[in-house]
Amino acid sequence: MTTTTSSAPPRTVSSVASTLAEKIAPSDLAGQGAWDNNSRIPWQAWPLSLLGAFLFLVVLPWMAHGAGM
């Protein structure tokens, strides 16, 4: 019977965290992109967000109350 073992070096928490951070937001892309072009929220988003908040905070509870919940 043959037994095989692998001897990987132990990874520290900081190396695991830096590897994970590099996968989420690569450092070679930091500061690049079109942030300046997209820094403002479009005007269409404001009324739609207010409508969504109204539906979630007023209409859905009112419907749940009417349904006997």
Side-chain angles (χ1 to χ4, degrees), residues 9-51:
R11 299 188 72 175
T12 62
V13 174
S14 63
S15 69
V16 172
S18 63
T19 303
L20 182 61
E22 187 67 29
K23 288 182 187 290
I24 294 172
S27 59
D28 60 344
L29 297 177
Q32 297 178 3
W35 174 255
D36 292 336
N37 296 336
N38 298 323
S39 61
R40 296 186 56 133
I41 299 173
W43 67 269
Q44 299 95 338
W46 292 105
L48 291 175
S49 66
L50 293 175
L51 176 65

Side-chain angles (χ1 to χ4, degrees), residues 51-66:
L51 176 65
F54 178 77
L55 288 174
F56 187 74
L57 296 173
V58 176
V59 175
L60 287 178
W62 174 71
M63 290 174 65
H65 180 72

